Amino acid sequence: MSNESFNLEAYFKRINYQGKTDVTAETLKGLHIAHTLNVPFENLDVHFKKPIRLDRESLYQKIVENKRGGYCFEMNGMFSFVLKEMGFKVLDVLARGTRDGKEFFSQSHQVMVVEIGDELWLADVGFGNDGITAPVLLEEGVDQQQFTHTYRILKDPKHGYILQSKVDGEYKYMYAFHLINCHPMDFEMANYFMATYPNSFFSIMKMCTMPTKEGRVTLTDIRNEKKFKQLVNGQVTETNLNSEDEFKEKLQQYFALDYEAIKQSAAK
């Protein structure tokens, strides 16, 4: 189950996973939850101008050995490599974000569709804010509860499958995707754009976020406006941070990330 450059046991330890390793929906769910609850979604390397590498060895080194997080191409790229190594049948897909189900953005988000028996599951450990914690069954119109969040899948003749999340009793659109396997270069192109385009969401905002069983913790810095937000059982607490030191302290306290060490690593 492991080799020298890609050790599954080390990955399991990184995500605090001690469950089964057979190719079942139960295993997929356990791995997915463990990854999202223990590996932060973060884009700090983008702001330090460090190239985002998506090959298997680079992702393993960053997420497992260096105990970092990453954004969608890194988090879902790593998770896809893990699932395939374990014997899961995985479709690597590009999704389009949408706010209203009418206007759709470019294909700039990586997700996976995992086939287990006669079921298809959406896996996504790297969406960031409001992202799923557990895999979602591709069954149309069914509410799927995950801790304090609820999601459902719709189908659209033009845009394929659409993921929605339930907020204050109303469903909001998240993203859409087709069951079309993408090639590594497709992700390389989307990754390069999101990491380097000046008006990209990730170029504008420093972000670190992670779900909890009760909600989510999120740390942001948009043009030096720093905020820390906690969602606990539907209640939101937001704090303005007054200094870079406060930002660094929250990063260490809630996400176990050393800002200065990350900055120094990017400079090498």
Side-chain angles (χ1 to χ4, degrees):
M1 289 188 63
S2 63
N3 57 55
E4 188 173 337
S5 62
F6 195 87
N7 187 290
L8 284 177
E9 285 77 10
Y11 170 76
F12 296 153
K13 184 177 180 180
R14 168 72 177 99
I15 66 171
N16 295 324
Y17 180 72
Q18 299 177 343
K20 296 181 178 180
T21 57
D22 54 343
V23 180
T24 61
E26 179 184 355
T27 299
L28 174 64
K29 181 178 179 180
L31 287 167
H32 199 292
I33 292 173
H35 188 116
T36 54
L37 292 181
N38 290 282
V39 184
F41 178 100
E42 51 108 341
N43 67 332
L44 295 177
D45 281 348
V46 171
H47 292 269
F48 293 131
K49 309 301 181 185
K50 184 174 183 178
I52 306 297
R53 305 197 184 282
L54 303 182
D55 61 279
R56 196 168 91 147
E57 290 70 25
S58 295
L59 293 177
Y60 179 87
Q61 182 182 47
K62 181 175 182 178
I63 294 173
V64 178
E65 294 182 350
N66 296 340
K67 294 182 171 56
R68 289 282 305 280
Y71 68 171
C72 75
F73 301 107
E74 299 169 289
M75 298 277 268
N76 284 324
M78 178 68 192
F79 199 64
S80 178
F81 285 129
V82 167
L83 293 179
K84 291 171 184 174
E85 186 79 8
M86 295 176 68
F88 285 90
K89 187 175 180 180
V90 181
L91 203 66
D92 295 304
V93 174
L94 277 169
R96 297 181 184 274
T98 179
R99 293 190 180 95
D100 57 9
K102 298 176 182 178
E103 180 182 359
F104 288 79
F105 310 131
S106 64
Q107 290 181 303
S108 56
H109 178 56
Q110 180 176 354
V111 301
M112 293 150 284
V113 175
V114 184
E115 181 179 342
I116 303 174
D118 59 356
E119 294 179 335
L120 296 177
W121 294 85
L122 169 67
D124 181 2
V125 298
F127 185 73
N129 211 15
D130 294 331
I132 61 176
T133 304
V136 171
L137 184 65
L138 293 191
E139 186 174 352
E140 186 177 9
V142 177
D143 283 5
Q144 300 185 48
Q145 183 76 29
Q146 299 183 2
F147 301 110
T148 59
H149 289 77
T150 301
Y151 301 90
R152 74 176 180 186
I153 293 288
L154 300 181
K155 286 188 73 175
D156 180 86
K158 183 176 180 180
H159 298 291
Y161 290 94
I162 300 176
L163 177 67
Q164 292 183 313
S165 64
K166 197 173 187 178
V167 180
D168 297 328
E170 300 284 338
Y171 274 100
K172 73 171 188 176
Y173 288 85
M174 296 176 67
Y175 55 75
F177 58 92
H178 292 279
L179 301 183
I180 299 175
N181 193 59
C182 294
H183 299 282
M185 188 52 67
D186 297 323
F187 299 114
E188 290 283 356
M189 291 180 65
N191 171 57
Y192 182 78
F193 176 82
M194 295 304 291
T196 62
Y197 181 58
N199 293 327
S200 161
F201 173 82
F202 295 112
S203 296
I204 295 169
M205 174 192 288
K206 287 181 190 173
M207 181 178 185
C208 191
T209 184
M210 198 156 59
T212 67
K213 292 181 179 180
E214 297 76 30
R216 179 173 289 272
V217 289
T218 302
L219 182 64
T220 58
D221 182 351
I222 306 176
R223 298 185 177 95
N224 292 319
E225 185 177 324
K226 302 171 178 61
K227 294 181 181 291
F228 178 68
K229 183 168 70 174
Q230 287 181 290
L231 173 64
V232 180
N233 296 320
Q235 300 298 313
V236 178
T237 303
E238 189 169 83
T239 305
N240 292 321
L241 305 180
N242 299 316
S243 68
E244 191 78 357
D245 285 340
E246 287 187 60
F247 184 91
K248 295 175 185 178
E249 288 170 6
K250 296 293 186 186
L251 192 67
Q252 180 68 60
Q253 179 182 356
Y254 288 92
F255 306 101
L257 295 176
D258 186 325
Y259 186 89
E260 291 301 327
I262 293 170
K263 184 177 180 179
Q264 291 172 14
S265 174
K268 293 179 180 179

